[in-house]
């Protein structure tokens, strides 16, 4: 694929995530209120999943956080199944049992979200350890936020992966806020990627608003992992353009912060770069309209499905 086509494909892929998240937000706060419960959106952070998932093979395992809709979509989980899950429909990827923050789709190499901060890291280490013995050559990729790197379980996972040279790619989405607190107020060294040296693994800070930069970094990290050279810690610098959760009043925001963030967020930035490079304006607009139309169709189909049947609540529960 030539460079222009690749970048247009990236733009379309990011618009798919943006449109999905905006639709979930609409269904959560709109008059219909088809989505209930706590919802955390990744608006502004679309480049990470688009770039990273492009480098994953069918046997690789991806573990996301509760802000995981975009990662699931980029991994190949159908939009209709994601929206149906968020809306508690029987056709959801987990039959409406998982909801926004807990769904999983191992048939797509997406091994789930997790609402425990940092919990995906040790689980991914287990998947990588299993891959050493099951012949798959699996690489495990786990996503966490900047605040999650301060969790004890995260430290244990990073240390074990390095000690056993396990094929794990630790992806930290540094969106500058650990929930409602600036990350620089919670750490002595705000460049989190530098922690990698202390564990004896490779580390890199990456432009998390550039899908091509993320793709290259994950490609290199996965190659090291497959070659038996151990794990990598990637710090993706990005931002979220919405609250930590739907309903967050965002009173902690600094003056002008969101205006600056909107200038550098990945979709607006790539659109400008494509225009400056001479891309057809119709092709740039088509990347958006195709994504929005796909998500509208997916939402309509999801909402037309029946709600999860309460009579099946005990299915999959073992004594």
């Amino acid at each position: 694929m030539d460079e222009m086509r690749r970048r247009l494909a990236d733009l379309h892929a990011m618009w798919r995530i943006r449109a999905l998240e905006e639709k979930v937000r609409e269904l959560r706060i709109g008059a219909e209120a088809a989505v209930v419960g706590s919802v955390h959106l990744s608006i502004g952070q679309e480049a990470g999943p688009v770039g990273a998932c492009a480098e994953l093979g069918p046997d690789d395992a991806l573990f996301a956080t509760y802000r995981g809709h975009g990662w699931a979509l980029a991994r190949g989980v159908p939009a209709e199944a994601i929206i149906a899950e968020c809306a508690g429909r029987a056709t959801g990827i987990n039959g409406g049992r998982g909801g926004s923050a807990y769904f999983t789709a191992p048939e797509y190499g997406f091994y789930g979200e997790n609402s425990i901060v940092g919990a995906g890291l040790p689980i991914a280490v287990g998947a990588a350890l299993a891959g050493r013995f099951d012949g798959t050559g699996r690489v495990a990729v786990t996503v966490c936020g900047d605040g999650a790197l301060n969790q004890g379980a995260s430290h244990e996972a990073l240390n074990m992966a390095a000690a056993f040279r396990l094929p794990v790619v630790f992806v930290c989405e540094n969106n500058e806020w650990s929930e409602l607190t600036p990350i620089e107020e919670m750490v002595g060294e705000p460049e989190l990627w530098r922690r990698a040296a202390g564990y004896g693994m490779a580390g890199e800070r990456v432009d998390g608003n550039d899908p091509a930069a993320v793709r290259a970094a994950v490609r290199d990290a996965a190659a090291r992992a497959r070659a038996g050279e151990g794990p990598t810690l990637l710090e993706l610098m990005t931002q979220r353009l919405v609250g930590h959760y739907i309903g967050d009043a965002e009173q902690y925001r600094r003056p002008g912060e969101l205006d600056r963030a909107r200038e550098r967020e990945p979709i607006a930035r790539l659109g400008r770069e494509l225009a400056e490079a001479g891309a057809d304006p119709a092709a740039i607009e088509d990347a958006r309209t195709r994504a929005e139309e796909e998500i509208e169709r997916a939402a309509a189909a999801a909402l037309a499905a029946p709600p999860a049947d309460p009579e099946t609540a005990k299915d999959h529960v073992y004594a």
Side-chain angles (χ1 to χ4, degrees):
M1 182 181 293
D2 63 42
E3 181 63 16
M4 186 68 78
R5 289 175 58 206
R6 172 78 267 180
R7 296 174 79 188
L8 283 166
D10 284 344
L11 184 64
H12 175 244
M14 292 194 294
W15 267 120
R16 291 181 74 234
I17 297 174
R18 179 71 59 88
L20 173 72
E21 295 288 64
E22 289 179 342
K23 176 55 67 173
V24 171
R25 178 169 60 180
E26 174 189 324
L27 295 175
R28 177 65 180 83
I29 65 177
E32 189 171 7
V35 173
V36 298
S38 183
V39 177
H40 301 76
L41 302 175
S42 62
I43 293 173
Q45 300 180 199
E46 296 87 357
V50 168
C53 290
E55 295 301 321
L56 302 186
D59 292 323
D60 294 333
L62 173 64
F63 301 83
T65 69
Y66 46 76
R67 204 180 304 281
H69 306 162
W71 286 91
L73 189 67
R75 190 67 174 119
V77 182
E80 180 183 335
I82 294 172
I83 297 171
E85 187 62 35
C86 291
R89 296 307 202 260
T91 54
I93 195 68
N94 298 131
R97 290 176 169 79
S100 169
Y102 296 100
F103 68 82
T104 183
E107 62 269 40
Y108 292 95
F110 181 78
Y111 287 83
E113 302 174 292
N114 202 310
S115 265
I116 300 174
V117 175
L121 281 71
I123 300 171
V125 168
L129 184 61
R132 176 167 288 177
F133 300 105
D134 65 11
T136 61
R138 175 190 305 114
V139 169
V141 176
T142 180
V143 186
C144 69
D146 43 278
L149 286 187
N150 294 337
Q151 292 287 88
S154 298
H155 161 75
E156 293 170 3
L158 288 155
N159 183 65
M160 182 174 178
F164 287 85
R165 303 183 72 79
L166 296 175
V168 187
V169 181
F170 297 98
V171 176
C172 173
E173 291 183 296
N174 187 344
N175 62 21
E176 303 178 4
W177 290 96
S178 299
E179 294 193 352
L180 317 182
T181 306
I183 182 61
E184 67 265 21
E185 294 183 9
M186 300 182 66
V187 296
E189 170 52 79
E191 294 194 24
L192 303 178
W193 72 277
R194 296 188 184 279
R195 298 187 187 187
Y199 295 107
M201 69 173 71
E204 181 181 356
R205 178 173 268 197
V206 182
D207 182 350
N209 288 337
D210 181 355
V214 176
R215 187 160 51 245
V218 172
R219 181 187 308 127
D220 292 346
R224 283 193 295 271
R226 296 187 206 283
E229 297 173 11
T232 300
L233 173 61
L234 300 177
E235 182 185 14
L236 308 189
M237 301 305 297
T238 185
Q239 70 293 299
R240 55 174 165 80
L241 301 179
V242 292
H244 174 65
Y245 54 89
I246 290 182
D248 178 2
E250 301 184 73
Q251 294 179 334
Y252 50 85
R253 294 281 194 184
R254 299 142 174 169
E257 175 193 338
L258 277 175
D259 291 335
R260 293 188 294 271
R262 291 188 183 101
E263 283 295 311
R264 65 178 186 266
E265 63 98 347
I267 291 177
R269 174 175 148 183
L270 184 52
R272 287 194 306 270
E273 291 174 352
L274 283 165
E276 292 166 1
D280 183 353
I284 296 174
E285 182 60 23
D286 182 62
R288 175 177 184 166
T289 56
R290 283 191 295 118
E292 291 178 338
E293 289 168 0
E294 175 198 349
I295 297 304
E296 285 295 333
R297 290 192 300 270
L303 297 179
D309 183 356
E311 294 299 318
T312 67
K314 293 184 179 180
D315 291 359
H316 316 297
V317 176
Y318 297 89

